């Protein structure tokens, strides 16, 4: 977080918060509402200005904007620019907003054909573009990652932001917490796993319950993609398999130049 | 103190009783892993086991530990938190006992760390000697940690139908009072113990190709080795090696503020020199950002820095890091490769 941001925050007594939704399942917004035991305390700290999932009243005056969802329509871009002008701080909620996640699965396919499959003869009513992350359109100050976000992490970020601290989101990979939990490594269970390159902070929840990491929190700060590619190849995966692995949540960066693809390629 | 001999059946009875009355942790198997966990009967204890997923040091230096709780609504007040839960850790291997002796030297003798000391006073360590190697990854024999004379309260050696018991502390002696049936060791028992120890060395093959006393110099001379670059390209910086290491003790201290913004807690949590943020300072500058430097640092900690600072081995040869490394970085191979490549190093020096 920049010094200007910290300064901006410290002047706020009870910041007005707005929560917006683009293409997404609303699951991250629901995670905020799932803070049932903490909502009363939370509302002492912040004032809700706009949160369609939770309340009827609306307002265009807010300090902190939290955006869930991916950009999938041209109109979304104007909406985002307006939000950026009005808010002092902009954060994203969840994998759809960054690094795009599920809405990005259509990218790389014929978008008209995709629209026809989903909306049939009414496809033209729903004009849609390639799914892209919020920060490809406007400057974003912080990302709260995950699919969905975790309510405890959301609360830690909110308190951190109010105190003018760096948002406590780890840069290290999922493996760190997975080892501390003494899980049996997914690779030792005959699976492959994106834990070594995916941002931690989730408590390695998927591997802890017998699954493995799919990369929903985006890449760690310092992923060794080339080495993981070799590792996955050692476990019988082709380059196409590996790109498909990344496509579920990190597809936008896997497809775009200068992003994951450039890093994954030898 | 006079050694004892306990029949295995009597030890099982004793452990069943003990686990019913007190907190007893022991290695418990789960598929390919064993973990130190609280047990409620001796039957839960793994019969044969590799070094546990996390070392037993997790009971003395928990992965996350609250150091103090504070309030600042009416002035500032803080209260330190100490854990004084009594527990018995049963089945600690010699490698881990050596590691705990190192942690004692650091956290008690050097740092007088109150939180560590509070825990240490309340943990009784019952060790079990290894008479055969765990697997191909262990190299305790090379690190001279197969034999252990410190850290334990009791040390058991398998003599077939019975355990030979050495008593390391008053707490160990006190614990034995609960055993109904045991006897003092006699000459014959000590002979059997000695034979078991002698047979052990035939089973453990030396794996390190350098004399242990030469390891610090080898690492010091290898600072420019190209091997670090090779390892840096492979390393995932996932922290598996340091998290499972019984001699790794680095932690980060953080404050977590409650939602009311008027109280909170300060905790410490395990950290790893393999992570990018570890050596990062307030400006965002990291003093050990390149991966090869981080890898080199870890091996120097294990084979050189800790020894230089505390006079004890920084690696106890448990093999956990090698067993857990997804890309197969193995300390024995690293040390042996450093030993085998002086020519490459000279060429590099000439090139400058």
């Amino acid at each position: 977080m920049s010094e200007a941001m910290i300064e901006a925050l410290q002047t706020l007594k009870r910041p007005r918060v707005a929560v917006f939704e683009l293409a997404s399942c609303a699951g991250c917004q629901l995670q905020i509402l799932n803070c049932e035991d903490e909502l009363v305390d939370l509302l002492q700290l912040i004032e809700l200005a706009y949160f369609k999932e939770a309340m009827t009243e609306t307002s265009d005056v807010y300090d902190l904007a939290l955006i869930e969802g991916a950009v999938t329509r041209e109109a979304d871009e104007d909406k985002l620019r307006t939000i950026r002008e009005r808010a002092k701080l902009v954060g994203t909620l969840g994998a759809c907003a960054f690094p795009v996640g599920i809405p990005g699965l259509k990218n790389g396919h014929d978008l008209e054909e995709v629209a026809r499959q989903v909306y049939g003869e009414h496809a033209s009513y729903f004009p849609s573009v390639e799914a892209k992350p919020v920060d490809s359109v406007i400057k974003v100050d912080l990302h709260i990652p995950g699919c969905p976000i975790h309510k405890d992490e959301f609360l830690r970020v909110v308190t951190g932001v109010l105190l003018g601290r760096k948002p406590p989101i780890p840069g290290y990979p999922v493996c760190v917490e997975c080892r501390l939990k003494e899980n049996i490594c997914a690779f030792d269970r005959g699976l492959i796993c994106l834990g070594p390159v995916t941002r931690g902070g989730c408590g390695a929840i998927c591997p802890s319950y017998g699954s493995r990491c799919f990369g929903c929190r985006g890449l760690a700060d310092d992923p060794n993609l080339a080495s993981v590619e070799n590792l996955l190849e050692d476990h019988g995966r082709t380059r196409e398999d590996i790109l498909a692995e990344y496509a579920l949540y990190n597809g936008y960066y896997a497809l775009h130049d200068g992003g994951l693809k450039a890093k994954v390629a030898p | 103190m006079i050694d004892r001999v306990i029949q295995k059946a009597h030890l099982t009875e004793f452990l069943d009783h003990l686990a019913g009355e007190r907190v007893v942790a022991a290695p418990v198997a789960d598929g390919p892993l064993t973990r130190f966990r609280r047990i409620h009967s001796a039957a839960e204890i793994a019969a044969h086991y590799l070094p546990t997923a996390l070392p037993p040091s997790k009971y003395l230096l928990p992965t996350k530990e609250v150091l103090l709780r504070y309030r600042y609504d009416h002035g500032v007040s803080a209260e330190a938190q100490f854990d004084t839960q009594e527990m018995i850790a049963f089945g600690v291997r010699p490698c881990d006992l050596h590691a705990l002796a190192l942690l004692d030297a650091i956290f008690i003798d050097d740092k007088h760390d109150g939180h560590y000391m509070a825990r240490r006073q309340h943990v009784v360590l019952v060790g079990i000697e290894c008479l055969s190697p765990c697997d191909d990854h262990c190299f305790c024999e090379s690190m001279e940690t197969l034999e252990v004379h410190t850290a334990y309260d009791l040390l058991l050696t398998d003599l077939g139908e019975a355990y030979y018991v050495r008593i390391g502390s008053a707490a160990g002696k006190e614990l034995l009072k609960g055993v109904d049936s045991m006897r003092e060791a006699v000459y014959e028992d000590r002979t059997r113990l000695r034979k078991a120890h002698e047979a052990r060395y035939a089973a453990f093959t030396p794996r390190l190709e350098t004399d242990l006393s030469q390891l610090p110099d080898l690492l010091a001379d290898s600072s420019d080795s190209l091997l670090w670059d090779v390892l840096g390209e492979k390393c995932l910086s996932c922290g598996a090696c340091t998290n499972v290491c019984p001699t790794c003790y680095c932690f980060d201290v953080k404050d977590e503020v409650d939602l009311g913004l008027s109280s909170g807690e300060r905790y410490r949590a395990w950290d790893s020199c393999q992570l990018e943020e570890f050596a990062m300072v307030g400006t965002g500058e990291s003093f050990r950002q390149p991966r090869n430097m981080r890898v080199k640092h870890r091996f120097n900690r294990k084979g050189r820095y800790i020894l230089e600072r505390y006079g004890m081995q920084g690696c106890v040869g448990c093999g956990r890091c090698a067993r857990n490394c997804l890309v197969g970085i193995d300390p024995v191979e690293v040390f042996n490769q450093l030993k085998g490549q002086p020519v490459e190093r000279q060429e590099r020096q000439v090139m400058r």
Side-chain angles (χ1 to χ4, degrees), chain A residues 115-126:
Chain A
R116 259 197 307 280
Q117 282 197 20
V118 176
Y119 300 109
E121 57 187 281
H122 303 298
S124 63
Y125 297 177
F126 304 97

Side-chain angles (χ1 to χ4, degrees), chain B residues 163-230:
Chain B
Y163 281 110
Y164 190 96
V165 184
R166 277 171 283 174
I167 302 169
S169 72
K173 193 179 175 188
E174 183 66 26
L175 188 66
L176 279 186
K177 283 184 180 167
V179 184
D180 292 334
S181 181
M182 72 181 161
R183 60 181 175 80
E184 292 188 358
V186 296
Y187 180 77
E188 267 180 19
D189 300 314
R190 281 192 287 278
T191 304
R192 287 180 73 192
L193 178 72
R194 198 177 64 240
K195 284 187 175 162
H197 284 166
E198 282 165 6
R200 181 172 65 176
Y201 279 95
F204 287 84
T205 320
R207 295 186 58 213
L208 211 54
E209 287 163 15
T210 183
D211 190 278
L212 187 57
S213 65
Q214 302 299 310
L215 190 56
D217 284 347
L218 176 65
L219 282 160
D221 292 344
S222 303
S223 186
D224 289 333
S225 171
L226 296 175
L227 184 61
W228 305 124
D229 301 348
V230 174

